Amino acid sequence: FFKMNKTELIRSVYEKLDKKIPLIKIEECLDGILDVMSDGLKRGEEIQLGDFGTFGLSSSIMKSSIKVQNKKK
């Protein structure tokens, strides 16, 4: 099992693109992508990325999240 943190991912993309795009721009793009994905998941949407994978939340996770949010109000 291989793990990569955000900094390592940004650095890998930077290297993959032959250092043509500044690291800060790659980080901004990654943050934007993760924000869009997170927002979609919070709305209960499923995200499919071609041959990469499908992302979604199980109903039990969503129910637990709703219960915790309701208790905070």
Side-chain angles (χ1 to χ4, degrees):
F1 185 148
F2 176 74
K3 290 170 121 179
M4 181 182 289
N5 67 30
K6 182 180 172 184
T7 301
E8 293 166 333
L9 178 58
I10 291 167
R11 175 63 64 177
S12 293
V13 171
Y14 178 69
E15 297 290 334
K16 183 77 171 179
L17 298 174
D18 296 324
K19 303 177 183 178
K20 293 178 183 174
I21 298 175
L23 287 169
I24 190 69
K25 292 296 182 187
I26 295 170
E27 182 176 9
E28 289 170 358
C29 288
L30 179 60
D31 287 343
I33 291 166
L34 295 176
D35 285 346
V36 168
M37 291 177 71
S38 180
D39 291 345
L41 292 171
K42 287 176 187 174
R43 289 190 302 269
E45 297 172 3
E46 184 177 89
I47 299 166
Q48 295 179 337
L49 299 176
D51 294 330
F52 185 72
T54 300
F55 303 86
L57 298 177
S58 70
S59 60
S60 62
I61 291 173
M62 291 179 70
K63 287 176 187 175
S64 296
S65 176
I66 291 169
K67 287 178 186 177
V68 170
Q69 289 176 2
N70 286 338
K71 287 181 181 180
K72 289 181 181 179
K73 291 182 181 180

